[in-house]
């Protein structure tokens, strides 16, 4: 959200705000901003304390980097889920002769007959 906000830009915004607000109202707005920052800090600390209380002793054991949503990769999650349940393929014996592929049996339909229909295939 504030990717392009540098120190120089922040200082420019503060100088413009000082000129717009004037010396009479500037202390009141600075005090209101400080109060807002204190309330936000208290809210964040309270949320952390409540979470720690609800999770109990397990709170310190959680690896928060693993739960970072930026680490979310749906392809990896699906791949891992599919590989967890997949049976381990057994190695084929090396002494067997190569097999020839089996051709599927196809039958020709009479003119005017309907082909078979699989309702679950669509």
């Amino acid at each position: 959200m504030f990717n392009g906000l540098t120190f120089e830009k922040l200082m420019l915004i503060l100088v413009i705000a000082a000129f717009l607000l004037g010396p009479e109202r500037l202390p009141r707005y600075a005090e209101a901003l400080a109060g807002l920052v204190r309330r936000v800090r208290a809210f964040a600390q309270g949320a952390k304390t409540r979470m720690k209380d609800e999770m109990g002793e397990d709170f310190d054991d959680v690896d928060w980097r693993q739960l970072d949503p930026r680490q979310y990769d749906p392809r990896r999650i699906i791949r891992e889920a599919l590989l967890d349940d997949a049976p381990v393929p057994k190695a084929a014996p090396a002494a067997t002769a190569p097999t020839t592929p089996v051709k599927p049996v196809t039958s020709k339909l009479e003119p005017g007959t309907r082909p078979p229909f699989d309702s679950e295939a669509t």
Side-chain angles (χ1 to χ4, degrees):
M1 185 170 150
F2 298 110
N3 285 342
L5 191 62
T6 61
F7 182 72
E8 292 84 18
K9 291 178 183 177
L10 187 61
M11 290 302 295
L12 181 64
I13 291 171
L14 290 175
V15 169
I16 291 173
F19 279 120
L20 290 177
L21 296 176
E24 302 87 31
R25 291 183 287 178
L26 189 60
R28 270 187 287 155
Y29 283 104
E31 184 180 345
L33 180 63
L36 176 68
V37 169
R38 277 195 293 278
R39 284 192 307 268
V40 167
R41 276 190 192 158
F43 176 75
Q45 186 63 32
K48 184 177 179 183
T49 303
R50 283 191 304 268
M51 187 184 314
K52 210 172 206 179
D53 290 344
E54 290 181 17
M55 287 185 71
E57 297 172 1
D58 297 335
F59 183 77
D60 295 328
D61 297 337
V62 175
D63 183 16
W64 295 107
R65 286 177 281 141
Q66 183 182 7
L67 299 174
D68 187 6
R70 293 173 290 189
Q71 306 272 340
Y72 176 72
D73 182 16
R75 292 172 293 196
R76 179 184 53 84
I77 293 171
I78 291 172
R79 188 176 335 120
E80 288 175 358
L82 292 175
L83 291 179
D84 283 346
D85 298 334
V88 178
K90 295 181 181 179
T96 60
T99 59
T100 58
V102 179
K103 293 183 181 177
V105 178
T106 58
S107 60
K108 295 189 177 186
L109 297 174
E110 298 286 329
T113 59
R114 296 181 63 164
F117 177 74
D118 186 7
S119 63
E120 295 178 7
T122 57

